[in-house]
Amino acid sequence: MRAEEETTRQRIADRLRDDPAQAGSLAREFGVRTAAVFSHVEHISKSLDPSDEQLLAAPPECRDCGFTDFDDLVNRPSRCPSCKSENVEEPTFTIE
């Protein structure tokens, strides 16, 4: 299938097979909202063949205190539950 015929979700999956990326950078690259990227990534994780590929997510990290034990790895938290800072880095996704 040619690149212009692929869906945004397929293009995001292909991109994650090549290199790890954060939702914000994928949103800019594909011209969609960050929330849409998180939705696509969640769907991609469910549609991968577990015997062949898996979606890996590096957890969000608080830039102020280093907290990484967030409950939901597929969304960007609004603030750190430990220090309440809003300076939280997005999770990074890749497909291996």
Side-chain angles (χ1 to χ4, degrees):
M1 186 179 294
R2 294 186 333 209
E4 59 270 5
E5 295 174 353
E6 291 182 333
T7 65
T8 300
R9 187 170 290 156
Q10 289 168 324
R11 293 189 336 242
I12 290 172
D14 289 343
R15 170 67 169 75
L16 292 177
R17 285 180 182 99
D18 293 338
D19 292 307
Q22 294 180 328
S25 65
L26 292 169
R28 287 186 296 280
E29 184 175 337
F30 295 108
V32 296
R33 295 173 320 166
T34 302
V37 171
F38 282 120
S39 175
H40 287 310
V41 166
E42 189 169 3
H43 187 276
I44 289 166
S45 72
K46 294 176 184 176
S47 64
L48 292 174
D49 179 1
S51 65
D52 189 37
E53 294 180 309
Q54 60 183 338
L55 177 81
L56 303 177
E61 182 175 347
C62 177
R63 291 182 184 118
D64 291 342
C65 75
F67 182 84
T68 59
D69 197 23
F70 292 93
D71 294 334
D72 186 359
L73 297 181
V74 183
N75 288 304
R76 183 182 189 273
S78 59
R79 64 178 49 181
C80 174
S82 179
C83 72
K84 308 302 183 213
S85 169
E86 293 181 4
N87 194 12
V88 178
E89 187 172 323
E90 293 179 329
T92 302
F93 303 104
T94 191
I95 295 176
E96 291 185 355

